[in-house]
Amino acid sequence: MTRPRRFVVEADGGSRGNPGPAGYGAVVIDPTTGETLAEAAEYIGVATNNVAEYKGLIAGLRAVRALLPDGPADDGPQVRVRMDSKLVVEQMSGRWKIKHPDMKPLAAEAARVLPASAVTYEWIPREKNKHADRLANEAMDAGKRGKQWEPSSSTADLDTPRSAVAAVLPPVSGPPGDAAAGAARARAALNRPAASATATPQVGWGAAPDLGAPATFVLLRHGETALTPQKRFSGSGGTDPELSAVGRGQAERAADAFAARGTVQEVVSSPLRRCRETAGAVASRLGLEVRIEEGLRETDFGAWEGLTFGEVRERYGADLDAWLASAKAAPTGGGESFAEVARRVAATRDRLVTRYAGRTVLVVTHVTPIKTLVRLALGAPPEALFRMELSAASVSAVAYYADGNASVRLLNDTSHLR
């Protein structure tokens, strides 16, 4: 048959743990007919999300090259790459610098597969990248069983027309294979029973379900301000202080640590200045943008803003006792109760979990929102807020799974500051 000269590549990668067991998926589509022309997936062992996403891109581009009978010509092909990784899209488009040492060779490898003039990149929401996402998850499922992905067991293409021809490509680690032979294997795979797509997965910790990669919130408290060492109430109703010199140094050390790990894919921040400055330092090192989330702001402490605990005790003793005794009690002067903050933070959490399912997000915020996220993940009572220590620029982490379960992975880590 006549091969098209225009292609759409959709690619994705994921890591269950970040770094953790990882895999990628890629699909090549005829933009005119919507037919699937090629699929590729591979379990790649322990890696980060970013590494897996780049390997998915490489596999998709190699799939296009294998579909061209005479290799890429000077007048073609034209390839539109669609991915839900803003990092990969922006870096490969040349708009963001590639700073992480693990990413540079992968980006260079992707750039060599086809002429640069033949490839353009487009970011798409995760929900529009389901085919590649399912391939990546199938690859990780296979790796969990100690095997590699097999096209005969794939359900990733069940949403496409049954007449589509999918040429199954070899893994990124090997050379491009025989596209015709791959197409023959894919035709056989299309005859698999459709019932596998409708099986109801087990859910719940007792059933040990495989729920895919969680949304992982890496919770970074902002660096010090002038008020921090004095332990003064500093919420969203006060002076909105900037980072001190010490705080700026803490933010830079946090940036160094996250750059070395290479796991963060998105950055969101409280709108308050100390968080925006901390988030900006990290995002600049990672080549990411900062997204502001109003729901991550600190509690409004009302008339207590700028005061020490002792000063509040002296001036507003009865109100302080009520606040310590009940999450529904608000600080003097129209501040927020912890119950109100919990509702706001929970709503923000739910939005972010949906938006960043399967991804690792740096959440730069304050003491109360971080403690609240940890408390809610543990199912602990409101008084647990008074039993957690959170140092300036400390790191905590919570993972959120598809069945609604959450797992607290880290609390108040300051090792990067030493």
Side-chain angles (χ1 to χ4, degrees):
M1 69 178 185
T2 302
R3 295 287 186 187
R5 304 298 293 180
R6 295 171 59 247
F7 303 88
V8 170
V9 171
E10 294 178 353
D12 197 12
S15 170
R16 294 171 181 172
N18 201 23
Y24 68 74
V27 56
V28 182
I29 302 166
D30 183 332
T32 302
T33 66
E35 290 186 330
T36 297
L37 302 173
E39 286 180 329
E42 184 186 9
Y43 171 68
I44 59 174
V46 175
T48 66
N49 281 321
N50 291 342
V51 167
E53 287 164 343
Y54 261 109
K55 285 186 175 287
L57 168 63
I58 293 167
L61 294 175
R62 284 185 172 177
V64 171
R65 187 174 67 182
L67 289 169
L68 299 171
D70 302 316
D74 292 340
D75 59 347
Q78 293 300 310
V79 181
R80 185 70 169 176
V81 174
R82 293 156 48 91
M83 298 181 69
D84 61 65
S85 170
K86 190 170 184 64
L87 176 73
V88 174
V89 167
E90 295 298 317
Q91 288 182 344
M92 292 303 298
S93 298
R95 290 186 289 270
W96 290 1
K97 291 183 179 180
I98 304 173
K99 298 179 180 180
H100 197 280
D102 290 345
M103 302 299 107
K104 290 181 179 179
L106 292 171
E109 184 177 358
R112 289 193 297 266
V113 177
L114 295 169
S117 60
V119 185
T120 57
Y121 291 86
E122 175 188 358
W123 178 85
I124 57 174
R126 187 172 185 81
E127 60 269 19
K128 293 187 178 181
N129 202 24
K130 290 182 178 179
H131 190 153
D133 175 69
R134 277 185 282 176
L135 285 169
N137 277 288
E138 287 178 1
M140 287 184 278
D141 291 343
K144 187 176 181 180
R145 299 189 298 269
K147 299 180 179 180
Q148 279 293 351
W149 176 81
E150 292 289 341
S152 60
S153 61
S154 175
T155 63
D157 196 31
L158 289 179
D159 291 340
T160 62
R162 300 286 292 181
S163 60
V165 177
V168 183
L169 276 296
V172 166
S173 54
D178 185 338
R185 293 195 299 273
R187 291 188 188 97
L190 287 172
N191 293 321
R192 61 187 177 270
S196 60
T198 58
T200 301
Q202 290 181 306
V203 295
W205 292 115
D210 186 352
L211 298 170
T216 301
F217 289 7
V218 179
L219 305 168
L220 175 62
R221 186 189 169 195
H222 61 80
E224 283 190 12
T225 72
L227 301 180
T228 307
Q230 302 174 35
K231 298 187 181 299
R232 294 183 179 274
F233 282 92
S234 181
S236 57
T239 58
D240 195 12
E242 64 182 356
L243 293 179
S244 64
V246 171
R248 289 191 291 273
Q250 291 170 332
E252 290 299 329
R253 286 194 290 277
D256 291 342
F258 287 117
R261 293 172 190 170
T263 55
V264 170
Q265 298 168 287
E266 310 281 351
V267 179
V268 299
S269 173
S270 157
L272 298 185
R273 184 174 181 178
R274 51 197 182 272
C275 285
R276 287 187 286 108
E277 290 177 341
T278 304
V282 179
S284 178
R285 288 293 305 278
L286 300 181
L288 299 175
E289 295 180 345
V290 178
R291 183 165 187 161
I292 301 300
E293 285 289 336
E294 289 291 332
L296 294 175
R297 68 184 184 276
E298 181 58 290
T299 308
D300 183 342
F301 291 111
W304 303 354
E305 293 280 358
L307 302 180
T308 65
F309 192 89
E311 289 169 341
V312 173
R313 167 68 70 191
E314 181 180 343
R315 301 180 194 183
Y316 308 105
D319 289 348
L320 180 63
D321 287 341
W323 182 72
L324 293 172
S326 173
K328 296 180 179 179
T332 310
E336 285 181 291
S337 70
F338 282 151
E340 291 172 315
V341 174
R343 287 192 292 271
R344 163 164 60 83
V345 169
T348 303
R349 173 203 62 195
D350 292 345
R351 288 196 306 273
L352 295 179
V353 166
T354 299
R355 183 186 304 156
Y356 299 120
R359 300 180 72 75
T360 297
V361 186
L362 181 67
V363 179
V364 185
T365 182
H366 310 263
V367 168
T368 309
I370 293 174
K371 287 185 176 182
T372 298
L373 289 168
V374 171
R375 177 183 77 78
L376 294 174
L378 294 173
E383 55 265 30
L385 294 176
F386 298 112
R387 298 173 184 172
M388 286 183 258
E389 175 71 21
L390 281 180
S391 303
S394 64
V395 176
S396 304
V398 181
Y400 299 92
Y401 290 85
D403 67 344
N405 279 302
S407 174
V408 176
R409 297 185 171 182
L410 191 66
L411 181 67
N412 197 39
D413 178 26
T414 57
S415 59
H416 55 287
L417 302 177
R418 300 185 190 125

